[in-house]
Amino acid sequence: MRHFGHIAPEVRQRLFHQEPCEFTADSSVRLLSAALGATLYSPATRPRLADDIVKQSGRGVVSMVLCLEDSIDDAEVPDAEENLVRQFTDLAGRAGADLPLLFIRVRTPEQIPDLVRRLGPATRLLSGFVMPKFDEERGIPFLEALDNASSASGRRLFAMPVLESPELLYRESRVGTLEGISRAVDKYRDRVLALRLGVTDFCSSYGLRRAPDMTAYDVQIVASVIADVVNMLGRADGTGFTVTGPVWEYFRVQERMFKPQLRRSPFLEGQADELREALIEHSMDGLLREITLDQANGLLGKTCIHPSHVLPVHALSVVSHEEFSDAQDILRPERGGGGVLRSAYTNKMNEVKPHRAWAERTMLRADVFGVANEDIGFVELLAAGIPG
């Protein structure tokens, strides 16, 4: 699979200075954690789930979570588990089907070995499990169950813990909770693909819900948690993990209080004013702003609950030609001793030692999402990726 792989090769050639790389479920942890992109959630109860997975893969989705937790009623869990087994078995019988990375969001540790046993040979299609309300005490049994199920099945299975517990939100318990999470995930570092943020649960603890005009970073109590999670668990010194962005809840805006947040000029230049209007109508201007803030705050990828959110996440994850040029200059072997240099675009200072970690992360993102051609911006990437 590859990002923007659903776009015709000649279109990719026009869009990209360096095309996104190909990867598989067996690629390195470092590459896969960066390549998750927009992870699309789907309730495990959907009767045509196998068809839905194949359809979304054909539209550019590279990672999906099939949910047995908050997205379904408590009484639906047994039927949803049976449905998952049927749908995976169906997919396993489809020779040559292009599939995304598939994860199951469970409720209890006991579900992990049980589902792997029931899936049998179809486990080869499974990349791992999403673990809810993760902290040290609750999380260790999930990680132990995953480790045992992976060994028993002979399949490399990953964990994606969801950080969403009230103890993480409350100031008096936050640091201790983060220290415990750090101990747990570090012990199973080879199994942890990414840490996911459960911002909806954070808001629930205070009876809050951000409006479509607001991002998670406008809700200060949420923004403070994100900052502390990145501070302690997302460091670039080799101890950190990929932390993914929070879910965007909206599809369409009925009434708008504030002005749209998308400038018109980039769309006029790309002759895509109708695309701008459609994005605004479907509340995508707020989503685009939040994705940009995710990246500025050290997050990569995003939880998505609607297919229309996938392409904006991927389009804004592509490395610009300017970013790529800066990163290349900073990482040149002859720059190993440090120093300061003017960027090739002659608009900024590149300081080699302080900017090295940024450059390394940028080059990893360039590998998985590609590098845009010099005259290509996110508008062209958005427009090209929309199904005809």
Side-chain angles (χ1 to χ4, degrees), residues 225-262:
V225 182
I226 295 174
D228 286 344
V229 168
V230 173
N231 190 327
M232 294 185 67
L233 298 171
R235 298 177 185 179
D237 59 1
T239 67
F241 296 84
T242 293
V243 183
T244 65
V247 68
W248 183 258
E249 299 177 349
Y250 295 95
F251 320 139
R252 181 183 293 269
V253 178
Q254 300 300 324
E255 184 175 358
R256 181 179 294 275
M257 180 180 297
F258 300 110
K259 289 182 178 180
Q261 301 174 71
L262 284 179

mmCIF file of all heavy atoms in Angstrom, residues 225-262:
data_model
loop_
_atom_site.group_PDB
_atom_site.id
_atom_site.type_symbol
_atom_site.label_atom_id
_atom_site.label_comp_id
_atom_site.label_asym_id
_atom_site.label_seq_id
_atom_site.Cartn_x
_atom_site.Cartn_y
_atom_site.Cartn_z
ATOM 1 N N VAL A 225 -3.555 19.035 28.289
ATOM 2 C CA VAL A 225 -3.277 17.596 28.336
ATOM 3 C C VAL A 225 -2.437 17.179 27.131
ATOM 4 O O VAL A 225 -1.465 16.430 27.259
ATOM 5 C CB VAL A 225 -4.577 16.770 28.374
ATOM 6 C CG1 VAL A 225 -4.260 15.281 28.465
ATOM 7 C CG2 VAL A 225 -5.435 17.173 29.544
ATOM 8 N N ILE A 226 -2.823 17.660 25.939
ATOM 9 C CA ILE A 226 -2.068 17.328 24.734
ATOM 10 C C ILE A 226 -0.612 17.742 24.901
ATOM 11 O O ILE A 226 0.313 16.988 24.579
ATOM 12 C CB ILE A 226 -2.691 17.993 23.496
ATOM 13 C CG1 ILE A 226 -4.090 17.411 23.228
ATOM 14 C CG2 ILE A 226 -1.806 17.797 22.269
ATOM 15 C CD1 ILE A 226 -4.842 18.113 22.107
ATOM 16 N N ALA A 227 -0.404 18.954 25.413
ATOM 17 C CA ALA A 227 0.960 19.449 25.608
ATOM 18 C C ALA A 227 1.743 18.543 26.547
ATOM 19 O O ALA A 227 2.924 18.220 26.293
ATOM 20 C CB ALA A 227 0.927 20.877 26.150
ATOM 21 N N ASP A 228 1.131 18.105 27.642
ATOM 22 C CA ASP A 228 1.843 17.268 28.606
ATOM 23 C C ASP A 228 2.100 15.862 28.061
ATOM 24 O O ASP A 228 3.144 15.259 28.351
ATOM 25 C CB ASP A 228 1.058 17.197 29.914
ATOM 26 C CG ASP A 228 1.141 18.489 30.718
ATOM 27 O OD1 ASP A 228 2.026 19.304 30.416
ATOM 28 O OD2 ASP A 228 0.315 18.686 31.631
ATOM 29 N N VAL A 229 1.159 15.324 27.277
ATOM 30 C CA VAL A 229 1.370 14.006 26.664
ATOM 31 C C VAL A 229 2.566 14.058 25.717
ATOM 32 O O VAL A 229 3.451 13.196 25.750
ATOM 33 C CB VAL A 229 0.107 13.536 25.925
ATOM 34 C CG1 VAL A 229 0.416 12.320 25.044
ATOM 35 C CG2 VAL A 229 -1.002 13.187 26.916
ATOM 36 N N VAL A 230 2.613 15.081 24.867
ATOM 37 C CA VAL A 230 3.739 15.210 23.936
ATOM 38 C C VAL A 230 5.031 15.448 24.705
ATOM 39 O O VAL A 230 6.086 14.886 24.380
ATOM 40 C CB VAL A 230 3.475 16.345 22.924
ATOM 41 C CG1 VAL A 230 4.707 16.594 22.057
ATOM 42 C CG2 VAL A 230 2.276 16.006 22.047
ATOM 43 N N ASN A 231 4.950 16.266 25.760
ATOM 44 C CA ASN A 231 6.129 16.582 26.562
ATOM 45 C C ASN A 231 6.773 15.317 27.121
ATOM 46 O O ASN A 231 7.996 15.134 27.052
ATOM 47 C CB ASN A 231 5.725 17.522 27.709
ATOM 48 C CG ASN A 231 6.911 18.086 28.457
ATOM 49 O OD1 ASN A 231 7.937 17.449 28.611
ATOM 50 N ND2 ASN A 231 6.755 19.307 28.942
ATOM 51 N N MET A 232 5.961 14.407 27.648
ATOM 52 C CA MET A 232 6.504 13.241 28.337
ATOM 53 C C MET A 232 6.598 11.991 27.465
ATOM 54 O O MET A 232 7.404 11.106 27.734
ATOM 55 C CB MET A 232 5.668 12.943 29.589
ATOM 56 C CG MET A 232 5.762 14.042 30.643
ATOM 57 S SD MET A 232 4.912 13.648 32.191
ATOM 58 C CE MET A 232 5.892 12.289 32.825
ATOM 59 N N LEU A 233 5.774 11.902 26.408
ATOM 60 C CA LEU A 233 5.714 10.652 25.641
ATOM 61 C C LEU A 233 6.037 10.824 24.158
ATOM 62 O O LEU A 233 6.106 9.832 23.431
ATOM 63 C CB LEU A 233 4.317 10.026 25.768
ATOM 64 C CG LEU A 233 3.902 9.626 27.187
ATOM 65 C CD1 LEU A 233 2.428 9.220 27.217
ATOM 66 C CD2 LEU A 233 4.766 8.487 27.697
ATOM 67 N N GLY A 234 6.252 12.049 23.708
ATOM 68 C CA GLY A 234 6.483 12.274 22.288
ATOM 69 C C GLY A 234 7.825 12.898 21.975
ATOM 70 O O GLY A 234 7.990 13.545 20.940
ATOM 71 N N ARG A 235 8.799 12.707 22.837
ATOM 72 C CA ARG A 235 10.097 13.355 22.662
ATOM 73 C C ARG A 235 10.868 12.795 21.459
ATOM 74 O O ARG A 235 10.680 11.628 21.077
ATOM 75 C CB ARG A 235 10.933 13.208 23.941
ATOM 76 C CG ARG A 235 10.269 13.888 25.136
ATOM 77 C CD ARG A 235 11.030 13.705 26.429
ATOM 78 N NE ARG A 235 10.282 14.267 27.554
ATOM 79 C CZ ARG A 235 10.674 14.241 28.822
ATOM 80 N NH1 ARG A 235 11.836 13.675 29.129
ATOM 81 N NH2 ARG A 235 9.933 14.771 29.769
ATOM 82 N N ALA A 236 11.719 13.631 20.910
ATOM 83 C CA ALA A 236 12.478 13.263 19.708
ATOM 84 C C ALA A 236 13.864 12.738 20.040
ATOM 85 O O ALA A 236 14.726 12.675 19.166
ATOM 86 C CB ALA A 236 12.592 14.476 18.782
ATOM 87 N N ASP A 237 14.060 12.306 21.278
ATOM 88 C CA ASP A 237 15.397 11.847 21.692
ATOM 89 C C ASP A 237 15.529 10.327 21.649
ATOM 90 O O ASP A 237 16.484 9.769 22.186
ATOM 91 C CB ASP A 237 15.707 12.350 23.100
ATOM 92 C CG ASP A 237 14.696 11.868 24.145
ATOM 93 O OD1 ASP A 237 13.754 11.129 23.771
ATOM 94 O OD2 ASP A 237 14.835 12.226 25.326
ATOM 95 N N GLY A 238 14.575 9.656 21.029
ATOM 96 C CA GLY A 238 14.604 8.202 20.957
ATOM 97 C C GLY A 238 13.749 7.518 21.991
ATOM 98 O O GLY A 238 13.513 6.314 21.912
ATOM 99 N N THR A 239 13.277 8.275 22.984
ATOM 100 C CA THR A 239 12.420 7.688 24.022
ATOM 101 C C THR A 239 10.942 7.837 23.695
ATOM 102 O O THR A 239 10.100 7.202 24.337
ATOM 103 C CB THR A 239 12.681 8.349 25.384
ATOM 104 O OG1 THR A 239 12.252 9.727 25.334
ATOM 105 C CG2 THR A 239 14.153 8.297 25.748
ATOM 106 N N GLY A 240 10.617 8.678 22.728
ATOM 107 C CA GLY A 240 9.230 9.024 22.476
ATOM 108 C C GLY A 240 8.523 8.064 21.526
ATOM 109 O O GLY A 240 9.123 7.186 20.909
ATOM 110 N N PHE A 241 7.204 8.260 21.414
ATOM 111 C CA PHE A 241 6.332 7.489 20.541
ATOM 112 C C PHE A 241 5.591 8.437 19.601
ATOM 113 O O PHE A 241 5.469 9.631 19.883
ATOM 114 C CB PHE A 241 5.302 6.696 21.363
ATOM 115 C CG PHE A 241 5.899 5.651 22.256
ATOM 116 C CD1 PHE A 241 6.385 5.992 23.521
ATOM 117 C CD2 PHE A 241 5.976 4.324 21.861
ATOM 118 C CE1 PHE A 241 6.942 5.033 24.358
ATOM 119 C CE2 PHE A 241 6.530 3.364 22.683
ATOM 120 C CZ PHE A 241 7.014 3.714 23.933
ATOM 121 N N THR A 242 5.082 7.886 18.518
ATOM 122 C CA THR A 242 4.164 8.664 17.687
ATOM 123 C C THR A 242 2.878 8.896 18.463
ATOM 124 O O THR A 242 2.286 7.954 19.002
ATOM 125 C CB THR A 242 3.847 7.909 16.375
ATOM 126 O OG1 THR A 242 5.034 7.835 15.583
ATOM 127 C CG2 THR A 242 2.762 8.622 15.577
ATOM 128 N N VAL A 243 2.447 10.146 18.538
ATOM 129 C CA VAL A 243 1.176 10.505 19.167
ATOM 130 C C VAL A 243 0.269 11.042 18.064
ATOM 131 O O VAL A 243 0.664 11.931 17.310
ATOM 132 C CB VAL A 243 1.363 11.573 20.270
ATOM 133 C CG1 VAL A 243 0.030 11.874 20.946
ATOM 134 C CG2 VAL A 243 2.398 11.106 21.295
ATOM 135 N N THR A 244 -0.932 10.492 17.952
ATOM 136 C CA THR A 244 -1.822 10.877 16.858
ATOM 137 C C THR A 244 -2.829 11.927 17.307
ATOM 138 O O THR A 244 -3.137 12.055 18.487
ATOM 139 C CB THR A 244 -2.577 9.658 16.300
ATOM 140 O OG1 THR A 244 -3.454 9.136 17.308
ATOM 141 C CG2 THR A 244 -1.606 8.579 15.859
ATOM 142 N N GLY A 245 -3.343 12.663 16.337
ATOM 143 C CA GLY A 245 -4.256 13.769 16.615
ATOM 144 C C GLY A 245 -5.654 13.304 17.003
ATOM 145 O O GLY A 245 -6.080 12.198 16.667
ATOM 146 N N PRO A 246 -6.401 14.164 17.701
ATOM 147 C CA PRO A 246 -7.738 13.809 18.179
ATOM 148 C C PRO A 246 -8.759 13.771 17.061
ATOM 149 O O PRO A 246 -8.564 14.318 15.980
ATOM 150 C CB PRO A 246 -8.055 14.937 19.171
ATOM 151 C CG PRO A 246 -7.264 16.105 18.680
ATOM 152 C CD PRO A 246 -5.995 15.520 18.121
ATOM 153 N N VAL A 247 -9.876 13.116 17.342
ATOM 154 C CA VAL A 247 -10.938 12.968 16.359
ATOM 155 C C VAL A 247 -11.618 14.312 16.084
ATOM 156 O O VAL A 247 -11.724 15.167 16.964
ATOM 157 C CB VAL A 247 -11.980 11.933 16.854
ATOM 158 C CG1 VAL A 247 -12.756 12.454 18.067
ATOM 159 C CG2 VAL A 247 -12.936 11.544 15.740
ATOM 160 N N TRP A 248 -12.049 14.498 14.835
ATOM 161 C CA TRP A 248 -12.885 15.638 14.437
ATOM 162 C C TRP A 248 -14.305 15.112 14.276
ATOM 163 O O TRP A 248 -14.539 14.170 13.522
ATOM 164 C CB TRP A 248 -12.364 16.252 13.141
ATOM 165 C CG TRP A 248 -13.124 17.457 12.700
ATOM 166 C CD1 TRP A 248 -14.068 17.533 11.720
ATOM 167 C CD2 TRP A 248 -13.006 18.779 13.228
ATOM 168 N NE1 TRP A 248 -14.549 18.808 11.606
ATOM 169 C CE2 TRP A 248 -13.916 19.594 12.520
ATOM 170 C CE3 TRP A 248 -12.233 19.347 14.238
ATOM 171 C CZ2 TRP A 248 -14.059 20.953 12.792
ATOM 172 C CZ3 TRP A 248 -12.377 20.699 14.509
ATOM 173 C CH2 TRP A 248 -13.271 21.487 13.790
ATOM 174 N N GLU A 249 -15.272 15.712 14.969
ATOM 175 C CA GLU A 249 -16.598 15.117 15.104
ATOM 176 C C GLU A 249 -17.610 15.547 14.046
ATOM 177 O O GLU A 249 -18.692 14.954 13.962
ATOM 178 C CB GLU A 249 -17.190 15.467 16.482
ATOM 179 C CG GLU A 249 -16.364 14.949 17.655
ATOM 180 C CD GLU A 249 -16.943 15.364 18.991
ATOM 181 O OE1 GLU A 249 -17.866 16.219 18.991
ATOM 182 O OE2 GLU A 249 -16.484 14.846 20.014
ATOM 183 N N TYR A 250 -17.296 16.550 13.243
ATOM 184 C CA TYR A 250 -18.335 17.186 12.438
ATOM 185 C C TYR A 250 -18.251 16.840 10.954
ATOM 186 O O TYR A 250 -17.173 16.660 10.404
ATOM 187 C CB TYR A 250 -18.255 18.713 12.613
ATOM 188 C CG TYR A 250 -18.563 19.142 14.023
ATOM 189 C CD1 TYR A 250 -17.537 19.351 14.946
ATOM 190 C CD2 TYR A 250 -19.879 19.303 14.446
ATOM 191 C CE1 TYR A 250 -17.812 19.707 16.244
ATOM 192 C CE2 TYR A 250 -20.162 19.674 15.747
ATOM 193 C CZ TYR A 250 -19.127 19.877 16.646
ATOM 194 O OH TYR A 250 -19.405 20.231 17.937
ATOM 195 N N PHE A 251 -19.440 16.763 10.312
ATOM 196 C CA PHE A 251 -19.510 16.509 8.875
ATOM 197 C C PHE A 251 -20.053 17.720 8.128
ATOM 198 O O PHE A 251 -19.673 17.993 7.014
ATOM 199 C CB PHE A 251 -20.423 15.327 8.539
ATOM 200 C CG PHE A 251 -20.331 14.163 9.465
ATOM 201 C CD1 PHE A 251 -21.480 13.489 9.856
ATOM 202 C CD2 PHE A 251 -19.106 13.722 9.931
ATOM 203 C CE1 PHE A 251 -21.406 12.399 10.691
ATOM 204 C CE2 PHE A 251 -19.024 12.634 10.781
ATOM 205 C CZ PHE A 251 -20.178 11.972 11.164
ATOM 206 N N ARG A 252 -21.011 18.404 8.714
ATOM 207 C CA ARG A 252 -21.677 19.502 8.022
ATOM 208 C C ARG A 252 -22.096 20.552 9.049
ATOM 209 O O ARG A 252 -22.608 20.231 10.117
ATOM 210 C CB ARG A 252 -22.912 18.993 7.270
ATOM 211 C CG ARG A 252 -23.661 20.058 6.485
ATOM 212 C CD ARG A 252 -24.903 19.471 5.839
ATOM 213 N NE ARG A 252 -24.568 18.521 4.804
ATOM 214 C CZ ARG A 252 -24.404 18.846 3.525
ATOM 215 N NH1 ARG A 252 -24.523 20.102 3.146
ATOM 216 N NH2 ARG A 252 -24.119 17.931 2.632
ATOM 217 N N VAL A 253 -21.912 21.820 8.716
ATOM 218 C CA VAL A 253 -22.271 22.907 9.621
ATOM 219 C C VAL A 253 -23.655 23.430 9.261
ATOM 220 O O VAL A 253 -23.907 23.789 8.110
ATOM 221 C CB VAL A 253 -21.243 24.059 9.539
ATOM 222 C CG1 VAL A 253 -21.665 25.201 10.438
ATOM 223 C CG2 VAL A 253 -19.866 23.557 9.942
ATOM 224 N N GLN A 254 -24.554 23.453 10.243
ATOM 225 C CA GLN A 254 -25.899 23.980 9.991
ATOM 226 C C GLN A 254 -25.932 25.504 10.076
ATOM 227 O O GLN A 254 -26.603 26.164 9.314
ATOM 228 C CB GLN A 254 -26.882 23.382 11.006
ATOM 229 C CG GLN A 254 -26.962 21.863 10.949
ATOM 230 C CD GLN A 254 -27.401 21.349 9.606
ATOM 231 O OE1 GLN A 254 -28.233 21.942 8.932
ATOM 232 N NE2 GLN A 254 -26.823 20.227 9.179
ATOM 233 N N GLU A 255 -25.204 26.032 11.032
ATOM 234 C CA GLU A 255 -25.175 27.488 11.203
ATOM 235 C C GLU A 255 -23.806 27.873 11.735
ATOM 236 O O GLU A 255 -23.276 27.241 12.643
ATOM 237 C CB GLU A 255 -26.265 27.939 12.183
ATOM 238 C CG GLU A 255 -26.361 29.447 12.331
ATOM 239 C CD GLU A 255 -27.525 29.861 13.228
ATOM 240 O OE1 GLU A 255 -28.263 28.986 13.687
ATOM 241 O OE2 GLU A 255 -27.660 31.068 13.473
ATOM 242 N N ARG A 256 -23.239 28.937 11.165
ATOM 243 C CA ARG A 256 -21.877 29.335 11.494
ATOM 244 C C ARG A 256 -21.875 30.642 12.270
ATOM 245 O O ARG A 256 -22.508 31.613 11.873
ATOM 246 C CB ARG A 256 -21.068 29.479 10.195
ATOM 247 C CG ARG A 256 -19.632 29.874 10.384
ATOM 248 C CD ARG A 256 -18.934 29.952 9.039
ATOM 249 N NE ARG A 256 -18.833 28.647 8.417
ATOM 250 C CZ ARG A 256 -17.868 27.784 8.666
ATOM 251 N NH1 ARG A 256 -16.905 28.097 9.507
ATOM 252 N NH2 ARG A 256 -17.847 26.612 8.083
ATOM 253 N N MET A 257 -21.124 30.670 13.389
ATOM 254 C CA MET A 257 -21.015 31.887 14.169
ATOM 255 C C MET A 257 -19.847 32.747 13.705
ATOM 256 O O MET A 257 -19.949 33.966 13.617
ATOM 257 C CB MET A 257 -20.859 31.557 15.655
ATOM 258 C CG MET A 257 -20.743 32.785 16.554
ATOM 259 S SD MET A 257 -20.568 32.352 18.312
ATOM 260 C CE MET A 257 -22.135 31.519 18.606
ATOM 261 N N PHE A 258 -18.703 32.093 13.397
ATOM 262 C CA PHE A 258 -17.504 32.826 13.022
ATOM 263 C C PHE A 258 -17.241 32.714 11.532
ATOM 264 O O PHE A 258 -17.761 31.834 10.843
ATOM 265 C CB PHE A 258 -16.288 32.295 13.799
ATOM 266 C CG PHE A 258 -16.439 32.426 15.291
ATOM 267 C CD1 PHE A 258 -16.605 31.309 16.082
ATOM 268 C CD2 PHE A 258 -16.426 33.670 15.894
ATOM 269 C CE1 PHE A 258 -16.754 31.428 17.448
ATOM 270 C CE2 PHE A 258 -16.565 33.801 17.252
ATOM 271 C CZ PHE A 258 -16.731 32.678 18.042
ATOM 272 N N LYS A 259 -16.400 33.607 11.036
ATOM 273 C CA LYS A 259 -16.050 33.579 9.620
ATOM 274 C C LYS A 259 -15.333 32.287 9.273
ATOM 275 O O LYS A 259 -14.619 31.722 10.099
ATOM 276 C CB LYS A 259 -15.139 34.774 9.283
ATOM 277 C CG LYS A 259 -15.829 36.122 9.302
ATOM 278 C CD LYS A 259 -14.847 37.211 8.900
ATOM 279 C CE LYS A 259 -15.534 38.576 8.869
ATOM 280 N NZ LYS A 259 -14.578 39.645 8.478
ATOM 281 N N PRO A 260 -15.476 31.800 8.018
ATOM 282 C CA PRO A 260 -14.697 30.641 7.586
ATOM 283 C C PRO A 260 -13.210 30.898 7.741
ATOM 284 O O PRO A 260 -12.744 32.035 7.633
ATOM 285 C CB PRO A 260 -15.077 30.481 6.109
ATOM 286 C CG PRO A 260 -16.417 31.135 5.996
ATOM 287 C CD PRO A 260 -16.401 32.271 6.973
ATOM 288 N N GLN A 261 -12.460 29.818 7.988
ATOM 289 C CA GLN A 261 -11.038 29.952 8.301
ATOM 290 C C GLN A 261 -10.129 29.602 7.121
ATOM 291 O O GLN A 261 -8.928 29.439 7.296
ATOM 292 C CB GLN A 261 -10.708 29.043 9.494
ATOM 293 C CG GLN A 261 -11.538 29.396 10.732
ATOM 294 C CD GLN A 261 -11.332 28.413 11.864
ATOM 295 O OE1 GLN A 261 -10.274 28.388 12.487
ATOM 296 N NE2 GLN A 261 -12.319 27.593 12.133
ATOM 297 N N LEU A 262 -10.708 29.485 5.924
ATOM 298 C CA LEU A 262 -9.918 29.175 4.739
ATOM 299 C C LEU A 262 -9.783 30.419 3.869
ATOM 300 O O LEU A 262 -10.790 30.962 3.405
ATOM 301 C CB LEU A 262 -10.589 28.061 3.911
ATOM 302 C CG LEU A 262 -10.479 26.639 4.427
ATOM 303 C CD1 LEU A 262 -11.219 25.691 3.480
ATOM 304 C CD2 LEU A 262 -9.036 26.217 4.550
#
